[in-house]
Amino acid sequence: MPARNEFGQLVGDELPGWVAPPRPPAENITGRHVRLEPLEGDRHGGALFDAFTQAPDSLWTYMPFGPFASVEQLATTIDLVRGYPTWQPFAVVVDDLPVGFLSYLRIDPPNGSIEIGSIAFHPDLQRTTAATETLYLLIKLSFELGYRRCEWKCDDLNLPSRAAAERLGFVYEGTFRQATHYKGRNRDTAWYAIIDTDWPALDQSFRTWLDDDNFDEAGHQLAPLRPR
């Protein structure tokens, strides 16, 4: 039951000892199948452009940018988002080859909230163990740093993104109607989140799923990820 203050009003739980977490460091994050590197236009732009030329233009339907006509255009966009004060973008590197990017967004240490988004994966990366581990590494780091809430937001009509959020254990919290617009279209935004009290059980689910014993010799999962 919620607590009551001296006036008999219902109030939220106290947060004894909680302090604002630091920003995520701009450094490599290494897993078993993937390495995340701070995204740089000069360093990653060429390889990412080559990867994205093999992807259908539908990859960019729900993104505020893309597709890209040249390496220079992609590198300029990368450098632009790197300059956003509440973003920390990463290149996704598999077998030393950049095959996608994603970012921490809306980094809000005073409130202990952080978002993961702006996700663009080469088709060969999508629906792979490396893709799941990529998201796991960023969610895990956010709670290790002391964030209370990790968010996922997407166009309400982006059904693959909504399915991915739910598979990863994010809880749907509602849709903000006419929250923004992009590429000349309205966007109703679906909100999802994992909070710190959710994380211990989710962390164990990810660890169990990522364990070698959960995959056959061809690399196929034996049991699906069951976040809840």
Side-chain angles (χ1 to χ4, degrees):
M1 290 291 293
R4 293 183 181 271
N5 65 11
E6 64 271 28
F7 308 110
Q9 297 165 306
L10 296 174
V11 294
D13 295 337
E14 294 186 358
L15 301 174
W18 185 81
V19 296
R23 284 181 55 88
E27 59 188 33
N28 290 356
I29 305 170
T30 302
R32 298 171 63 187
H33 306 279
V34 66
R35 183 174 68 254
L36 307 183
E37 299 176 352
L39 185 62
E40 299 177 8
D42 290 344
R43 182 179 181 188
H44 302 109
L48 286 174
F49 181 78
D50 289 343
F52 291 147
T53 57
Q54 304 172 39
D57 285 352
S58 59
L59 176 67
W60 308 100
T61 297
Y62 298 107
M63 300 284 279
F65 41 71
F68 301 98
S70 65
V71 175
E72 292 75 19
Q73 188 181 63
L74 174 57
T76 297
T77 299
I78 289 172
D79 291 338
L80 178 67
V81 300
R82 288 183 67 230
Y84 294 164
T86 61
W87 286 43
Q88 175 55 64
F90 293 92
V92 182
V93 180
V94 177
D95 295 331
D96 294 323
L97 183 66
V99 288
F101 63 77
L102 77 170
S103 186
Y104 282 128
L105 318 172
R106 289 168 52 96
I107 301 170
D108 184 5
N111 287 306
S113 179
I114 195 167
E115 179 182 348
I116 295 172
S118 194
I119 301 168
F121 288 173
H122 182 278
D124 289 347
L125 175 62
Q126 298 172 17
R127 298 179 176 272
T128 65
T129 305
T132 297
E133 186 182 45
T134 294
L135 276 304
Y136 169 66
L137 290 173
L138 287 192
I139 300 167
K140 176 173 175 283
L141 178 60
S142 68
F143 290 113
E144 288 179 343
L145 291 172
Y147 285 84
R148 304 175 59 232
R149 173 180 173 85
C150 183
E151 297 179 336
W152 179 292
K153 302 187 188 73
C154 62
D155 191 310
D156 188 68
L157 300 175
N158 187 348
L159 300 185
S161 183
R162 297 191 65 165
E166 292 168 5
R167 174 179 176 269
L168 294 167
F170 287 85
V171 175
Y172 174 64
E173 297 180 329
T175 293
F176 284 24
R177 298 176 299 163
Q178 296 187 188
T180 186
H181 59 88
Y182 63 120
K183 294 182 175 176
R185 305 189 305 265
N186 173 66
R187 177 174 130 164
D188 297 345
T189 297
W191 285 57
Y192 293 82
I194 297 169
I195 60 174
D196 53 3
T197 52
D198 300 330
W199 181 241
L202 287 175
D203 185 30
Q204 185 56 55
S205 295
F206 276 107
R207 291 174 183 271
T208 299
W209 188 84
L210 287 165
D211 191 274
D212 286 342
D213 290 339
N214 189 43
F215 295 89
D216 62 20
E217 293 182 356
H220 300 132
Q221 67 176 6
L222 301 178
L225 179 63
R226 301 185 186 278
R228 299 191 183 280

